[in-house]
């Protein structure tokens, strides 16, 4: 496929400069001129698609328990900003539809990480892919990614035309067979897994490479120099949209 995505991607919307996976974070990414964001999505008990990284609410909100066990009405009462600072008090968990609107407003591209509540991979992958197909009409197609192979398989079946990337935090020797089976255009790796030779091997197989989470500009420059396509960073101020190797 034609690879339309920029070299630098704002991790969880606004990196370390705003509460992750919120509309405020996306606004922060836009403020620094970023043209692509990465964020995590999952399903509420009643099937609403919303942004959250963890299975549970405690780390990034004043809520508690497994978020996917709650209805959207209950999740609306969660404060997802105060944990970060008082300036973000009252920040809500956003719906995927709200994020799509912000991407349209700010002309941002998206890497949607499908982050199912444990055990809900297939239903989450299917729901996210179908929603993304509708919500991003007329925009650059969002890049779907996941560590959850069941979720990626379901996304592939539901919306095969949307680009997919396999996420790995540990190296797998079967990466080529797996990305081929899932119809992936990219592989998304912990940057520590890469060296120059391994990067060349992945590129020779026809894969684009996105790496996370790179917060050292020198490391970012090295990776880009090897041929990595996208750097996902928390340091959206230091590693900005115009950063180059």
């Amino acid at each position: 496929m034609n690879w339309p995505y920029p070299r630098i991607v704002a991790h969880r919307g606004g990196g370390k400069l705003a509460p992750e996976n919120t509309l405020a974070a996306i606004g922060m990414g836009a403020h620094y001129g970023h043209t692509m964001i990465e964020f995590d999505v999952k399903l509420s008990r009643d099937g609403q698609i919303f942004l959250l990284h963890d299975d549970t609410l405690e780390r990034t909100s004043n809520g508690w328990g497994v978020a996917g066990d709650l209805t959207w009405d209950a999740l609306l009462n969660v404060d997802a900003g105060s944990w970060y600072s008082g300036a973000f008090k009252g920040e809500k968990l956003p719906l995927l539809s709200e994020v799509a609107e912000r991407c349209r407003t700010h002309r941002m591209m998206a890497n949607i990480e499908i982050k199912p509540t444990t055990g809900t991979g297939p239903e989450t992958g299917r729901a996210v892919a179908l929603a993304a197909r509708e919500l991003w009409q007329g925009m650059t197609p969002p890049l779907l990614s996941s560590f959850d192979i069941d979720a990626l398989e379901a996304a592939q079946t539901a919306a095969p035309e949307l680009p997919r990337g396999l996420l790995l935090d540990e190296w797998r020797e079967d990466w080529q067979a797996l990305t081929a089976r899932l119809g992936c255009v990219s592989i998304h790796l912990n940057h520590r897994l890469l060296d120059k030779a391994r990067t060349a091997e992945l590129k020779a197989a026809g894969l684009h490479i996105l790496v996370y989470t790179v917060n050292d500009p020198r490391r970012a420059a090295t990776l880009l120099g090897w041929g990595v396509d996208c750097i996902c960073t928390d340091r959206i101020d230091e590693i900005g949209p115009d950063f180059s190797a």
Side-chain angles (χ1 to χ4, degrees), residues 122 125 148-158 164 178 181-182:
D148 189 309
I149 292 169
D150 288 343
L152 275 182
E153 284 181 333
Q156 179 184 23
T157 300
R164 290 172 301 283
L178 195 51
R181 177 164 67 84
L182 294 167

Side-chain angles (χ1 to χ4, degrees), residues 51-165:
L51 273 62
L52 188 71
H53 179 276
D54 301 356
D55 267 10
T56 55
L57 289 160
E58 284 85 345
R59 183 177 65 85
T60 57
S61 81
N62 68 345
W64 59 274
V66 176
D69 289 345
L70 300 175
T71 65
W72 181 242
D73 280 348
L75 290 165
L76 276 173
N77 295 319
V78 169
D79 180 340
S82 292
W83 69 272
Y84 180 90
S85 78
F88 294 98
K89 182 179 180 180
E91 189 72 24
K92 301 297 185 185
L93 297 169
L95 289 168
L96 181 63
S97 57
E98 295 176 297
V99 174
E101 290 175 8
R102 296 299 173 93
C103 285
R104 196 176 296 275
T105 297
H106 296 304
R107 299 185 177 181
M108 282 176 147
M109 289 173 262
N111 171 198
I112 304 175
E113 181 179 341
I114 306 168
K115 201 82 172 178
T117 302
T118 301
T120 67
E123 63 188 279
T124 306
R126 180 180 185 278
V128 171
L130 291 175
R133 169 196 276 166
E134 295 301 317
L135 293 169
W136 266 262
Q137 283 189 24
M139 293 189 280
T140 301
L143 178 59
L144 307 181
S145 63
S146 190
F147 291 102
D148 189 309
I149 292 169
D150 288 343
L152 275 182
E153 284 181 333
Q156 179 184 23
T157 300
E161 76 280 9
L162 292 183
R164 290 172 301 283

Side-chain angles (χ1 to χ4, degrees), residues 128-228:
V128 171
L130 291 175
R133 169 196 276 166
E134 295 301 317
L135 293 169
W136 266 262
Q137 283 189 24
M139 293 189 280
T140 301
L143 178 59
L144 307 181
S145 63
S146 190
F147 291 102
D148 189 309
I149 292 169
D150 288 343
L152 275 182
E153 284 181 333
Q156 179 184 23
T157 300
E161 76 280 9
L162 292 183
R164 290 172 301 283
L166 174 66
L167 266 161
L168 294 178
D169 198 49
E170 295 180 358
W171 187 252
R172 288 184 58 147
E173 293 298 336
D174 63 345
W175 61 266
Q176 192 162 11
L178 195 51
T179 53
R181 177 164 67 84
L182 294 167
C184 292
V185 301
S186 56
I187 190 163
H188 301 205
L189 299 167
N190 184 322
H191 74 94
R192 295 179 180 86
L193 299 177
L194 282 185
D195 55 25
K196 189 174 184 178
R198 191 170 271 179
T199 303
E201 184 182 6
L202 294 168
K203 298 292 287 185
L207 288 168
H208 296 279
I209 304 171
L210 183 149
V211 292
Y212 66 90
T213 304
V214 183
N215 296 327
D216 180 346
R218 292 169 298 179
R219 177 64 171 167
T222 296
L223 290 159
L224 291 171
W226 290 345
V228 166

